[in-house]
Amino acid sequence: QVQLVESGGGLVQHGGSLRLSCAASGGTLSRYRIGWFRQAPGKERTTVATISWNGGTTYYVRSVKGRFTISRDNAKNTVSLQMNSLKPEDTAVYYCAAANAGVGHYDYWGQGTQVTVSS
């Protein structure tokens, strides 16, 4: 069973950048579609970006398009989310998750990393 650990969160000023990483153990990430999700206080968890098993297909929620970039390095068993031009509304706990190919839901989740953007 794959285990996911996020890192790279922190406090950054409006307009700043952060790079989140999702590292896997107990399995190889190349089998899975990976998604980044976020949950702000009092709000539901929402999708931020997803990437197919080989990196060939990506998806971004409209609010982060042009600012965030999802990428993966299957050789290193990691997936990253580069976040630029951060806004206060990006403040949330960010989670990575893995889904088996062809399956709609995500089976494996990390514990989350806090991203706080000050105005």
Side-chain angles (χ1 to χ4, degrees):
Q1 178 171 332
V2 67
Q3 296 170 335
L4 305 175
V5 177
E6 303 94 338
S7 62
L11 173 64
V12 65
Q13 289 187 335
H14 187 177
S17 298
L18 283 174
R19 186 176 181 87
L20 304 184
S21 291
C22 176
S25 61
T28 175
L29 272 185
S30 62
R31 293 181 52 190
Y32 303 98
R33 179 177 76 254
I34 302 298
W36 281 98
F37 301 81
R38 64 187 179 188
Q39 187 167 22
K43 297 187 177 181
E44 293 186 353
R45 187 169 57 196
T46 59
T47 305
V48 176
T50 65
I51 189 166
S52 59
W53 70 273
N54 64 353
T57 302
T58 58
Y59 163 82
Y60 298 92
V61 68
R62 186 169 60 181
S63 61
V64 308
K65 274 186 179 179
R67 301 189 296 124
F68 291 11
T69 303
I70 189 171
S71 60
R72 67 190 302 158
D73 186 337
N74 287 338
K76 294 183 178 179
N77 232 19
T78 60
V79 175
S80 298
L81 184 68
Q82 177 67 43
M83 306 187 296
N84 298 328
S85 302
L86 283 161
K87 304 175 181 180
E89 51 263 44
D90 294 318
T91 295
V93 178
Y94 282 71
Y95 301 87
C96 67
N100 283 291
V103 174
H105 58 271
Y106 287 79
D107 291 311
Y108 308 104
W109 291 82
Q111 82 291 347
T113 186
Q114 176 70 48
V115 171
T116 303
V117 185
S118 63
S119 57

